[in-house]
């Protein structure tokens, strides 16, 4: 059973993140760059296809957790591209060393 009094005494971790200004151009560029349909992007982001359409048309602003997820996915893609470059440059996959 959970001891609520002990839980309330526990230290809390606060996670902060930079506000991300994701505009409609970024959404469409992101989707097309990864070869995603609007439905596929909607599934990835946990939203409806209609939401993706509104983002791409500039009718709705991407904010909150969706903006954070876009930023994380974009940063991950950059890391994976860098890893791919380094692997190609070295000739050996990083895991084989």
């Amino acid at each position: 059973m959970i001891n609520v009094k002990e839980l309330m005494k526990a230290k809390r971790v606060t996670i902060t993140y930079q506000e991300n200004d994701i505009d409609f151009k970024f959404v469409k560029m992101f989707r097309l760059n990864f070869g995603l349909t609007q439905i596929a992007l909607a599934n990835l982001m946990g939203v409806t296809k209609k939401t993706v359409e509104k983002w791409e048309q500039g009718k709705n602003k991407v904010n909150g957790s969706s903006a954070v997820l876009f930023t994380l996915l974009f940063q991950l893609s950059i890391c994976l591209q860098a890893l791919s470059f380094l692997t190609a440059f070295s000739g050996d996959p990083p895991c084989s060393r």
Side-chain angles (χ1 to χ4, degrees):
M1 181 175 266
I2 297 174
N3 184 331
V4 176
K5 288 182 181 178
E6 290 299 317
L7 186 61
M8 295 303 290
K9 292 178 188 175
K11 291 185 179 182
R12 297 184 181 161
V13 175
T14 303
I15 299 173
T16 58
Y17 59 91
Q18 179 181 353
E19 278 296 318
N20 302 295
D21 189 23
I22 307 292
D23 66 2
F24 68 96
K25 293 176 191 172
F26 178 87
V27 174
K28 190 157 191 175
M29 179 274 310
F30 182 92
R31 180 175 67 80
L32 295 176
N33 189 47
F34 290 103
L36 299 172
T37 63
Q38 288 180 331
I39 293 172
L41 179 58
N43 289 336
L44 179 67
M45 299 298 293
V47 298
T48 64
K49 179 182 182 277
K50 195 70 163 168
T51 298
V52 172
E53 289 173 2
K54 289 181 179 182
W55 285 343
E56 288 187 358
Q57 295 167 357
K59 292 181 179 178
N60 284 5
K61 185 173 167 68
V62 180
N63 54 29
S65 59
S66 294
V68 172
L69 183 53
F70 263 121
T71 301
L72 292 173
L73 290 171
F74 184 69
Q75 290 173 347
L76 177 61
S77 72
I78 292 171
C79 291
L80 291 175
Q81 287 174 353
L83 181 60
S84 175
F85 173 78
L86 292 173
T87 301
F89 183 72
S90 70
D92 294 323
C95 298
S96 71
R97 294 185 193 136

